Amino acid sequence: MTVNRQWLINGRPNGRALVVDDFKWVEGDIAAPGEGEVVVRTLYLAFDPAQKGWMENIGGYTAPTEIGDVMRGSGLAEVVTSNSPLLRPGDRVTGMLGWRDFATLPAKDLLKLPDDGPPTAHLGVLGTTGLTALFGLQKIGKPFPGDTVVVTGAAGATGSVVGQIAKIGGCKVIGVAGGAEKCRWLVDELGFDAAVDYKAGDIRGQMREHAKGGIDVLWDNVGGAILNDLLGEIAMHARVVICGGISRYQLGQMPAGPENYFNLVFKRATMEGFILTDFIGEFPWARRRISAWMRDGRLRFKEDIQVGLENAPRTLMRLFEGANFGKQLLKVSEGS
C-alpha cells in the first residue's frame, strides 16, 4: 500500500468517439482516512455508456466533472483500513470508487455486501443494471401479460434483464441485438421468444415477422435509426421506455429527432424517459425480488470481464464498439 495508480479525465469527448488520450495515467499516494472514512482496495470496476456523458457534462443529473478529476466509475472493493463503526477491514462493498487501486471514502457512501452469491452480481443484476431494468419496466413500461415487449440492446447487461423480467410477467419478448451469436443466446439461454439481428438489415421487416400485432412495450437502449424504425411498428396505446442512447453516447451529441415520432399520436402511445435515482427509496425491496428470481433460476446474467487497471480506457470503449457480451467489468485486483 505505497502507490495508488489512477486514471484521470484528460479530455472532453464531445462530438466524437473516445480515445485513450482522453485519460491520463498517474501514480500517487493513498489518502489517509479521516473520521468516518475508510480506505478500500478496488477489486472490480463496472462500466456503463453513461460514463462518456459524465465526461462531457451532458444531462445535468450528476455533478459536473473537471479535467484532472479521477475518472468516475462504480466498483466492488474490499475495506483495508477503517475509521468508521459502519465497516471493518475485510468487508466487501460497492460504491462510486473511481478508476484507481485505492479509494478513501466516507463509509456511509458505500454499500456493504452480504456473503451470499457472487459478489460481482452487485455491479450488475443486483446493482444499477438490474434495478434500472425492474423500475423502468414496471413503472414506465407497465407491461400486461400477453403484451409484446421489444428490447433494443437486448444482449447488453440491462437489456437482457429487461427481457427476462418481461418473460416472468407473461409477455412475449423480442430482443434486438447485433450478430447471430448474441441473438442465439437471447433465445436459447434466456428464453426470449425471438431475436432480431440489426446487422442483417431491414429491422422493420424482421420485426413484422415476430410482432404481427405491433409492439406494446418498446424498451430502447440505443436511440437513433433503430428507435426510429421501431416507432413505426408500435401498437395502439404502446408505452415507449427511453433508457439509454448508445448511438448518442458514441457521437457525443443528440441524434436528430425520430421521423416516426408522430406515430405516438396515431397510436395514442406514450414515450417517457427516467433516471434510476427517481426510485432510490424502493431499492431494498427491488433487490430482494431480483435475488428471489435468481435463486429460482428464472433470471440469469452474463459478465464480460477484462483484466488490469491499465486497460480501463479500452474496456470502456468496448461498450461503444458492441464488443461486450453481458455486463462489462474489469478485474483490478484479487483482494485478500
Side-chain angles (χ1 to χ4, degrees):
M1 290 180 58
T2 56
V3 176
N4 194 12
R5 304 176 302 163
Q6 305 174 71
W7 282 104
L8 309 183
I9 298 174
N10 194 50
R12 298 278 188 215
N14 299 72
R16 60 171 175 82
L18 283 167
V19 296
V20 173
D21 286 345
D22 288 325
F23 308 93
K24 182 179 180 181
W25 176 270
V26 300
E27 296 182 358
D29 298 327
I30 302 167
E35 187 66 28
E37 293 186 328
V38 295
V39 176
V40 299
R41 176 190 289 110
T42 304
L43 305 180
Y44 288 87
L45 290 172
F47 294 80
D48 298 287
Q51 287 173 276
K52 184 174 186 286
W54 299 345
M55 296 172 69
E56 299 163 339
N57 287 335
I58 289 177
Y61 66 92
T62 60
T65 59
E66 302 292 341
I67 299 296
D69 286 352
V70 174
M71 178 60 191
R72 288 181 189 167
S74 60
L76 166 68
E78 180 180 61
V79 176
V80 177
T81 305
S82 177
N83 272 350
S84 169
L86 299 177
L87 294 170
R88 298 180 300 174
D91 286 344
R92 296 289 177 94
V93 297
T94 58
M96 193 61 65
L97 308 179
W99 289 8
R100 50 192 169 185
D101 286 314
F102 296 92
T104 303
L105 301 166
K108 63 180 180 60
D109 293 344
L110 300 168
L111 176 66
K112 181 180 176 181
L113 301 185
D115 294 330
D116 59 329
T120 53
H122 293 271
L123 296 178
V125 67
L126 287 174
T128 57
T129 297
L131 295 172
T132 296
L134 178 60
F135 287 116
L137 191 61
Q138 291 200 342
K139 303 286 189 177
I140 312 299
K142 300 175 182 176
F144 293 89
D147 275 353
T148 295
V149 177
V150 171
V151 185
T152 67
T158 301
S160 60
V161 177
V162 171
Q164 290 179 87
I165 293 176
K167 283 298 296 180
I168 291 170
C171 298
K172 177 180 181 179
V173 178
I174 304 166
V176 179
E181 181 185 4
K182 291 181 178 180
C183 289
R184 282 195 298 270
W185 178 68
L186 293 174
V187 175
D188 295 344
E189 295 194 36
L190 299 192
F192 282 45
D193 295 281
V196 167
D197 181 359
Y198 71 81
K199 292 184 177 180
D202 190 17
I203 292 176
R204 293 188 69 171
Q206 291 187 71
M207 189 59 63
R208 286 170 182 164
E209 293 181 15
H210 302 296
K212 298 185 185 301
I215 302 167
D216 297 300
V217 178
L218 171 58
W219 178 290
D220 186 51
N221 292 309
V222 177
I226 291 177
L227 172 60
N228 184 58
D229 282 345
L230 295 179
L231 283 176
E233 301 301 323
I234 58 175
M236 192 70 72
H237 303 296
R239 287 81 67 201
V240 181
V241 184
I242 304 298
C243 176
I246 193 75
S247 61
R248 180 192 72 77
Y249 293 134
Q250 177 68 337
L251 296 176
Q253 59 191 22
M254 295 296 182
E259 296 174 0
N260 287 325
Y261 85 96
F262 212 73
N263 211 26
L264 297 168
V265 176
F266 298 146
K267 300 295 186 178
R268 291 75 151 177
T270 60
M271 183 163 66
E272 184 175 351
F274 72 102
I275 298 295
L276 178 59
T277 50
D278 296 345
F279 311 106
I280 194 168
E282 301 180 69
F283 283 8
W285 76 260
R287 285 195 177 95
R288 290 193 296 271
R289 177 166 293 184
I290 293 170
S291 294
W293 288 331
M294 292 172 65
R295 285 194 301 271
D296 65 20
R298 289 191 289 174
L299 186 57
R300 304 173 67 181
F301 66 98
K302 188 177 184 67
E303 297 173 336
D304 184 320
I305 301 178
Q306 303 298 299
V307 179
L309 183 62
E310 66 276 9
N311 293 317
R314 293 289 184 188
T315 302
L316 180 58
M317 292 177 195
R318 288 173 58 82
L319 298 177
F320 305 103
E321 299 163 356
N324 66 300
F325 197 165
K327 180 64 180 181
Q328 186 65 74
L329 302 177
L330 177 72
K331 185 176 183 179
V332 176
S333 66
E334 294 283 355
S336 61

